[in-house]
Amino acid sequence: NTRTGFVLKSAVVVCFAMLLLLNNTQAQVISNSGATINLTGGVVVQTDTVANNGLITNNGVFNLNGDYRNAATTEGNGTINLAGSWLNTGTFNAGNSTVQFNGTNLQTITKAGGEEFYKLVINNTGFAANNRIMLSQQITISDTLTLMQGIIDPGVHTVFLTNSAISALNYTSTNGSRIIGKFQRGVNSTGTYLFPVGTLANYNPLNLTNNTLAATGTILSEFVSADPGDLGLPLTDLTSDDSVEVYQTYDDGYWNLVLTTFSVTDFDINIDGAGFATAVQDITKVLKRNTGNDWTLDGTHKDAIGTVGFRNHLDSDLSPTGSQFALALGRPKIWTHPKDTAVCDGFSASFSVYATGRKPLTYQWQVSINNGVTWSNVNNGGIYSGATSSKLQLSATNLAMDGYLYRVIV
């Protein structure tokens, strides 16, 4: 292709010349060096890169295979479909416009002090790791954020959706489009708010369902790829019939929420452990803590579905300094351990355990005849009965059994 550039000298000539050149397949770059360009509704411009040093009022559609470089002023209520990057060193008045990133490789958004969009659409169809929109500063979306395909990588910066409506986040992705960093959104109503966070490798969303009407505020979210630790564990979940003991968090990561200007006093949480090294089970629990505190079992358990853990009707507020959520492993809770038994030669003996957990519980008694060096399963028969129950019976003992050790696996 022949690279063709032209300098626009007057608004009247511009429209005519631009339309002629853009119908020519050789037109690749629009370079506006100070003119006023007005795209009216219904006008579609197909080109490579726009470099604006004048005034562009866009009420039509720019379809760009390259970059949008704005060094002066861009305004209007039209659409910019962008396969390249966004570089704004001038003024962008978003109006009611739509900017869509629909590239197939890495794209960047650059604006000193942060960029503001009205409607932002992420539709990058590149291969994994190359389908990212990279941010050098914070971006703010005042109306709608649509996630179709691709990943927003804000680094240390924040993606801020100020519109508090649940529908302000339009999530249509079927392949885990996500934000791998901080995502903040407005909250002002009951219903379920999605926080589509995760890592470069996995989509790990958090859904918060607000069960009571809240005043307007924001929640800042992030998935943190670090071991959440086990401070305050083990805990026993008495809110469900199984009464399992929660003994360890999944060490793959946790979710952090920071609340501003309002409170949440009755809410449900679900978090997705996709890609976690240890499989999520139906009894996997969701834990909560405020920054610097122990893990707690606030609310009531709901069985996990797939890789998603659930906790309902939490009533301890989110913290303005941060509240963390983590998935945690459960096991049967031993309430009464077997006790040492002393009997006379030839007499019967028994050992018992009382445990609760996800039914049906299974038991296997074991015996060691060498002071715990090795263990073998006890089988029913001879002097033994109840080898796979909560109570092991020995019908008759003898002096040779002195010092035998017994344990049970529940």
Side-chain angles (χ1 to χ4, degrees), residues 366-377 405-407:
Q366 294 184 327
V367 61
S368 174
I369 63 175
N370 54 11
N371 202 32
V373 176
T374 59
W375 294 85
S376 58
N377 289 342
L405 301 178
Y406 291 86
R407 71 181 183 186

Side-chain angles (χ1 to χ4, degrees), residues 317-354:
D317 203 356
L318 299 177
S319 171
T321 60
S323 296
Q324 291 84 49
F325 297 86
L327 295 174
L329 297 163
R331 64 188 177 193
K333 167 69 175 178
I334 307 297
W335 296 91
T336 304
H337 289 265
K339 297 179 180 179
D340 292 345
T341 299
V343 296
C344 295
D345 184 24
F347 280 70
S348 64
S350 66
F351 299 96
S352 64
V353 63
Y354 175 64

Side-chain angles (χ1 to χ4, degrees), residues 179-197:
I179 298 165
I180 54 174
K182 295 182 177 69
F183 173 57
Q184 185 173 6
R185 66 177 303 187
V187 176
N188 71 346
S189 67
T190 58
T192 300
Y193 285 84
L194 168 63
F195 296 85
V197 294

Side-chain angles (χ1 to χ4, degrees), residues 135-199:
L135 307 186
S136 60
Q137 298 85 19
Q138 173 173 303
I139 62 170
T140 301
I141 306 102
S142 62
D143 185 69
T144 306
L145 171 62
T146 298
L147 295 178
M148 300 174 66
Q149 296 188 84
I151 294 171
I152 302 179
D153 186 350
V156 299
H157 307 290
T158 302
V159 178
F160 187 13
L161 177 59
T162 60
N163 187 348
S164 298
I166 291 173
S167 59
L169 177 62
N170 180 27
Y171 191 88
T172 63
S173 176
T174 59
N175 57 3
S177 184
R178 55 196 176 273
I179 298 165
I180 54 174
K182 295 182 177 69
F183 173 57
Q184 185 173 6
R185 66 177 303 187
V187 176
N188 71 346
S189 67
T190 58
T192 300
Y193 285 84
L194 168 63
F195 296 85
V197 294
T199 66

